[in-house]
Structure formats: structure tokens, C-alpha cells
Amino acid sequence: MEYTIIAKDLEKTYVVKRGLVRRRIERVKALRGVSFRVRRGEVYGIVGPNGAGKTTTIKILSTLLLPDKGEAHILGYNVVTEAQRVREVIGVSLTVERGFFWKLTGYENLKYFGMLRGLRGKHLEERVNYVLDLVGLKKLGGDKKFFEEYSLGMKARLSIARALLHNPEVIILDEPTLGLDPPSARSIRELLVKLAKESRKTVLITSHNMYEIEQICDRVAVIDKGRIIAEDTVNRLKTMVSREVSVEIEVLKPRVSTSEIAELFSRELSAKVIVNTDEKGLTRIKALVPFGEDAEFIHRAVAVLQRTGAKLRSARIVEPTLEDVFIKLAGRER
Amino acid sequence: MRYVVAAMRASFYSYMCELKNNWGFAFFMVFWPYLMAFFMYGLGTMLGSIEEYSVKMNVANPMLYIVASSSIMMSSIGIVDAIAREMIRHRWLGTLPYIMASPPRFIVYATAGPIPVAMFSSLVSVTSVLPVVALLEGLTGLIKMFIVLAMIYLAMLPLVGIGVVAAGISLLAGEESNIAGSLTPFIILVSGVFYPQSILPYVLQVVGRAFPLIYVVEAAKVLATYEHLPLRFLYTTVGVLTAMSFLYNTVTSPILLAAEKKVLRRGVYEE
């Protein structure tokens, strides 16, 4: 079995200094021994709540952060001692909304990053045109538009185009579809699967979007508090919740925060939940309930939510998804 | 070596694209030495006559000297600014992680990248004053300006080291602080571009000698004063600047390497 990415016992502690006069030093353990392996041609997802250690892992593998302990190899190259070789074989997309020159067109931006990687002449121009076409930016006129005129969707496409520019074996993407409209997100997902299955690229992706991870990843690692708490294929992970049903409740205008709702559910219903509030103020609570106890749970949950002043919009039972596995393993506000 | 050239080409390409796409930037780049000279002339005539300035500065053609020295100052300081600000600019743009995740070593990009840009902007800056030089001094003036340009290029090499220190400190001090912003006025102050260095306190005169800009300014003064090229003086200046280049760049490279390591320990972009 050929593994292109190997992470072994990665540990990282951030030192945060606070205060000007009374200097306080806080140590935040971001990774506590993260290990995983990714095969060639595989799409591997890392999911977890904020602060779980997803981005720290990505940063270490992208040679942008030194681990305190452990080691990681990409195509056999050590990310610390052979960083330059690693940089030659990886393509990285970190944040989609920034990372380019505002007064340069998409074509010029990619040409700059291509030059930086030592590409030149006709080959460089061919690669730039190819990736612009591949991510659909040519159709949108993105090659001639300044980056400052780009929509978020176009920025995400350009960020992925840059990651693919030098035809890398390994593609590392941190939340590549964050904030994108559904059609843009879908076309990016399709592209990533195509790259892995047709071109045998290794794709490592982090995301908050469980649906996305479920759609495209061959294997998934669930990370929480700096540790991988589960790792398997999506289908096998879903068997973990086969004896349970997923209950989804939507409410409007609760007087308490999402974290307080999660706390209430934990205290009064002994339930692990995921609570999200969208930009329209709609709060969505998702919980895993043992088979046969769903009706009673909804009844009690509605009563708890009414005390927060929230107006019930809907309550339903849905098929368990990867998100439910996540609730079972690390359920809390996400 | 492959990535040294790659960093230089990429950096120069992005600069040229920004110039092409932003006409305001291009306009001020060409006319900046004139604006500076106009400002210095205006300020100077409030304090005394141009003849008095000529005597105090010991230059035969004060107008030419003001225009030329504005161009020299802009060009020489340009490299310090280019290197020191470059990393902060990339952090603001969000391009820094992608540059650090590219094959050229960070120190290669930080030091080699800005050199062609600084050389080009110096060329534009010196070229932009050529019409005035030709008008006032004819062909001899033009030849002298090209000698000054050669001196500026030579003075850039030790200034790379100074820029590297500023870039390193900027990154170490939280990646947002622009150390060059305070360093540049200081270099201008101690170099005596627009006034005799002798009016400065003795300590500042000595400190000024540590910056290469003063040697270019002196060369420009000598060139502006003498009819024939004072070759011996020019050779000495070339020698001093070359020695400074070796010394400064050898001493300062570890600072940027240390800054790179610290940035990598902290992480290049925030979560």
C-alpha cells in the first residue's frame, strides 16, 4: 500500500503571551499526538469543531508550522528537514478570500506563483491557461479580471487553480468551499473527486461541512481537542449510529446563545447536540436519540426551547449522517 | 540558484504588472524625484538663497544637485524599503503563507526578490531626472548621472543587509510592525543628502558613516563639482561599498534565518 501522506504522533502547543505590564503566558495544546496515513488517489477528510486542530495539522503538512514532537512525511520527504522538497510536491489552498495581489488579474496572479515555483516560458503559460480552464474561471472571465473584482466563488476557484498550477501529487485544502454558493461549492467538490480518481492525486481536505465530507471523502478522520477520535470510511463511521435516529429541530429567535442551548440540552436532556445559527437567525439543533425514544425527546426538547423564548419552526426525524457520527463522538456547539 | 532567479523573476513580474495596471503608481514613480526636489527647493529658499546653499554644500550647480540627490536618495532608500516592507505587504495581502509554501527559501525570496524591483525603480528614478541634467550640464552631466546610477546599484548591496535586519525585526515583532518606516528617515537624516553632514552632531556623523548612502551622496557631490572624473575618489568609494556589502550581508543573514524559524514555530497564518 502506497501512502503519500504519513503523520505520526504530531504534537503542537501554541504559546500565547497576554498583557503588556503583567506578562501572562498561556499554553494552548493544539495537537496531542495526531497520526494518520493517506493513500495515493484518495480524498481524505479531517473534520472537527473550531479549535480541534484541523488547521494546525494542515499547517504542519504544508511546512508552514514546525511541530513540537512527532513527524510527518509527504511522498517520503520529511516536512521539517526536507521542507523544500515537500513544497515542490504539494499544492496548498488555505484561505480563499485573500492570498492574491488585488491589482493583478487572475492570469497575472497565477503566472506570478508559477514563476515562483520555477515554471517558465510556454510551459508556464500553458499551465496557467489549463488550470484557469479547469476551475472554470475562463468561462467567468476571471483570467482578465482583477482579483479585487472577484466574487468569493471566483476567489475560491483561483485558490484551487494555484494549488494545481505545478501539477502537484498532493493537494492540501483548508475549508476550500467556505462561504461559497451551492453551485460553486458543488463544482469544486466534483473537481476534487475527478483529480483524485482520474489523475491519482492525493487530496487532503478539512471542512466544517459534513455533507461535503460525506460526498467526496474516501476516508475521514474526526479530530477533537487535538486528537483523532475516529478514522474510517464514511459508511463504516455511519454504522456507529445505526441504532439511533437523528432529530433536527429548527427554532427562531432564542434569547440565549448557541453554546447555552447546547449546555441546556446536555444538562436537562443528557443529549449531545450540534447547534448552528445562520445569518437569518434560524437556529438548528441536531441530536442523536436512541431508536424509539424520538417522540419523547422532541416533546421534552420543545419544552426546554420554549423556556428560552424560541419560536418552534420545525421538528423532524432524519436519516443519520456523518454529522450524527460527529455528534456521537464530539457533540457540542460547532 | 534556480530559485534565486525564480524569486527575482516572480517579484519583478508582479511589480511590472502592478505598474501596468495602476497608472497612478507609475506616474508618481517617475515624477517623485521632481516633487521631492521641488519640496526641498521651496523649503531651502525659505531658509536662505540658492547661492548660499551652493556655498554651504560646496556644489557648483545647486539645482542640479538637488534634483540628482532627490533621485539618489529615493533610489538608495528604495532597496531598504523594498526588502523591509515586502514581507509585511505579503502578510497584509495574505500571500505570505503561499510564498513560504513555495520552493524558494524564505531568505532567498526576501533578499533576492526585491533586488530587480529596486534596480528598476532606481533606473526610472535616475532616468526621470535626465532631461533636467541634460539641460543644465549637457552630455557630461548625463555620463555623470550614469556613474551615479552605478554607485547607487553598488550601494544597494550593503543596504540589502540593512533591509534584511528591518524585515527580520518586523517579522519577529509580530509581523505587522514596519521597522523600515522609522529606519528610512533616520538613514536620510544621518546621510546628509540635502544639507552638509558637518552640521550634524559628531555622534550622528560617525553613525552616518555606517550607512552606504553617504558615500553615494559624496560621490554625487564630487561629480557635480569637478569637470573631470575624479577616478581615484570613485575607486575608493567602490572599495568601501564592496567591503560594506560583504560585511553587512554576512552579519545580517542569520537574523532573517532566525526570524524565519520563529515565524514557523508560531505559524505563518492565523486560524
Side-chain angles (χ1 to χ4, degrees), chain A residues 317-332:
Chain A
I317 297 161
V318 291
E319 274 285 303
T321 60
L322 184 63
E323 193 167 51
D324 300 306
V325 177
F326 183 81
I327 297 170
K328 188 170 178 109
L329 294 167
R332 56 191 159 109

Side-chain angles (χ1 to χ4, degrees), chain A residues 12 14 55-56 59 62-66 84 87-88 92-95 98-104 108 111-113 115-120 146 159 162 174, chain B residues 2-3 6-7 9-11 13-14 17-18 20-21 89-95 97-105 109 261 264-269 271:
Chain A
K12 181 70 193 177
Y14 291 109
T55 304
T56 301
K59 277 195 215 173
S62 311
T63 74
L64 295 173
L65 180 68
L66 297 173
Q84 188 171 336
R87 288 167 188 163
E88 284 170 0
V92 181
S93 168
L94 302 166
T95 44
R98 291 168 73 228
F100 288 96
F101 296 95
W102 292 78
K103 278 281 176 199
L104 264 61
E108 289 165 346
K111 206 167 167 187
Y112 164 82
F113 284 103
M115 284 178 170
L116 202 55
R117 290 192 162 273
L119 304 181
R120 54 197 307 173
F146 290 146
S159 187
R162 171 174 53 197
D174 191 14
Chain B
R2 177 187 165 205
Y3 289 124
R9 285 181 67 230
S11 193
Y13 174 76
S14 70
C17 286
E18 281 189 334
K20 172 177 73 75
N21 298 342
R89 190 171 79 101
H90 282 302
R91 187 161 159 74
W92 287 338
L93 286 169
T95 42
Y98 298 98
I99 286 165
M100 292 189 81
S102 299
R105 283 289 308 267
Y109 185 84
K261 208 164 184 182
L264 284 175
R265 239 181 252 129
R266 190 167 54 200
V268 182
Y269 80 109
E271 280 193 57

Side-chain angles (χ1 to χ4, degrees), chain B:
Chain B
M1 192 60 197
R2 177 187 165 205
Y3 289 124
V4 173
V5 177
M8 284 180 163
R9 285 181 67 230
S11 193
F12 188 62
Y13 174 76
S14 70
Y15 183 77
M16 294 308 286
C17 286
E18 281 189 334
L19 265 183
K20 172 177 73 75
N21 298 342
N22 190 345
W23 283 97
F25 179 29
F27 175 83
F28 280 105
M29 188 181 170
V30 172
F31 287 99
W32 183 245
Y34 288 107
L35 293 173
M36 191 73 191
F38 179 72
F39 172 73
M40 290 315 296
Y41 177 75
L43 197 71
T45 48
M46 283 165 66
L47 301 170
S49 69
I50 191 80
E51 291 75 22
E52 203 180 332
Y53 182 77
S54 170
V55 173
K56 280 188 178 163
M57 289 299 284
N58 193 24
V59 287
N61 192 333
M63 273 313 291
L64 175 67
Y65 177 75
I66 289 176
V67 172
S69 55
S70 297
S71 166
I72 291 165
M73 186 206 70
M74 291 284 306
S75 312
S76 305
I77 293 299
I79 187 78
V80 178
D81 242 32
I83 291 175
R85 280 182 208 269
E86 188 71 348
M87 291 303 108
I88 297 166
R89 190 171 79 101
H90 282 302
R91 187 161 159 74
W92 287 338
L93 286 169
T95 42
L96 187 60
Y98 298 98
I99 286 165
M100 292 189 81
S102 299
R105 283 289 308 267
F106 177 63
I107 189 161
V108 168
Y109 185 84
T111 52
I115 290 176
V117 172
M119 287 180 79
F120 176 76
S121 59
S122 297
L123 180 68
V124 171
S125 181
V126 170
T127 312
S128 70
V129 299
L130 287 184
V132 175
V133 174
L135 194 73
L136 295 172
E137 288 248 321
L139 184 65
T140 322
L142 291 179
I143 294 168
K144 285 177 179 177
M145 274 313 279
F146 278 110
I147 293 171
V148 168
L149 180 65
M151 291 283 175
I152 290 170
Y153 283 167
L154 192 60
M156 271 183 189
L157 295 174
L159 282 166
V160 166
I162 294 170
V164 161
V165 173
I169 296 172
S170 293
L171 288 177
L172 288 172
E175 299 181 56
E176 303 289 353
S177 337
N178 181 13
I179 302 298
S182 51
L183 191 63
T184 308
F186 181 73
I187 296 176
I188 296 171
L189 172 78
V190 296
S191 299
V193 182
F194 295 111
Y195 45 80
Q197 212 221 7
S198 55
I199 66 166
L200 292 172
Y202 180 69
V203 178
L204 287 182
Q205 287 184 38
V206 175
V207 172
R209 292 270 147 202
F211 292 100
L213 184 56
I214 193 168
Y215 302 99
V216 184
V217 171
E218 281 181 356
K221 270 186 204 169
V222 170
L223 286 169
T225 307
Y226 293 98
E227 281 288 315
H228 301 288
L229 295 176
L231 290 176
R232 204 171 159 188
F233 175 80
L234 292 179
Y235 289 149
T236 312
T237 307
V238 169
V240 169
L241 293 175
T242 311
M244 274 183 156
S245 302
F246 280 112
L247 182 70
Y248 284 21
N249 290 305
T250 312
V251 171
T252 55
S253 301
I255 294 175
L256 200 60
L257 285 171
E260 179 188 17
K261 208 164 184 182
K262 182 158 185 193
V263 168
L264 284 175
R265 239 181 252 129
R266 190 167 54 200
V268 182
Y269 80 109
E270 310 310 318
E271 280 193 57

Side-chain angles (χ1 to χ4, degrees), chain A residues 55-164:
Chain A
T55 304
T56 301
T57 309
I58 289 275
K59 277 195 215 173
I60 291 173
L61 295 173
S62 311
T63 74
L64 295 173
L65 180 68
L66 297 173
D68 296 335
K69 277 185 189 167
E71 54 184 57
H73 291 87
I74 292 184
L75 290 173
Y77 301 120
N78 187 302
V79 297
V80 176
T81 57
E82 296 168 289
Q84 188 171 336
R85 300 308 297 266
V86 171
R87 288 167 188 163
E88 284 170 0
V89 297
I90 60 168
V92 181
S93 168
L94 302 166
T95 44
V96 297
E97 72 271 28
R98 291 168 73 228
F100 288 96
F101 296 95
W102 292 78
K103 278 281 176 199
L104 264 61
T105 62
Y107 179 87
E108 289 165 346
N109 264 302
L110 289 183
K111 206 167 167 187
Y112 164 82
F113 284 103
M115 284 178 170
L116 202 55
R117 290 192 162 273
L119 304 181
R120 54 197 307 173
K122 211 173 172 193
H123 175 60
L124 171 62
E125 280 174 23
E126 279 170 4
R127 284 300 304 172
V128 170
N129 283 316
Y130 173 73
V131 292
L132 278 169
D133 205 24
L134 188 71
V135 299
L137 271 175
K138 275 216 161 164
K139 270 191 294 186
L140 299 168
D143 52 338
K144 296 188 181 81
K145 266 188 186 174
F146 290 146
F147 183 69
E148 65 184 359
E149 296 164 349
Y150 270 37
S151 66
L152 190 59
M154 290 172 79
K155 286 176 182 174
R157 286 166 197 260
L158 190 65
S159 187
I160 290 170
R162 171 174 53 197
L164 304 175

Side-chain angles (χ1 to χ4, degrees), chain A residues 280-332:
Chain A
K280 289 175 188 161
L282 183 70
T283 301
R284 185 170 149 265
I285 302 135
K286 209 169 178 202
L288 262 188
V289 182
F291 198 75
E293 293 179 20
D294 42 335
E296 172 66 16
F297 178 82
I298 291 174
H299 178 73
R300 289 174 62 202
V302 169
V304 168
L305 286 166
Q306 275 174 344
R307 291 213 313 269
T308 69
K311 289 185 179 132
L312 182 70
R313 193 163 177 267
S314 71
R316 59 199 169 120
I317 297 161
V318 291
E319 274 285 303
T321 60
L322 184 63
E323 193 167 51
D324 300 306
V325 177
F326 183 81
I327 297 170
K328 188 170 178 109
L329 294 167
R332 56 191 159 109

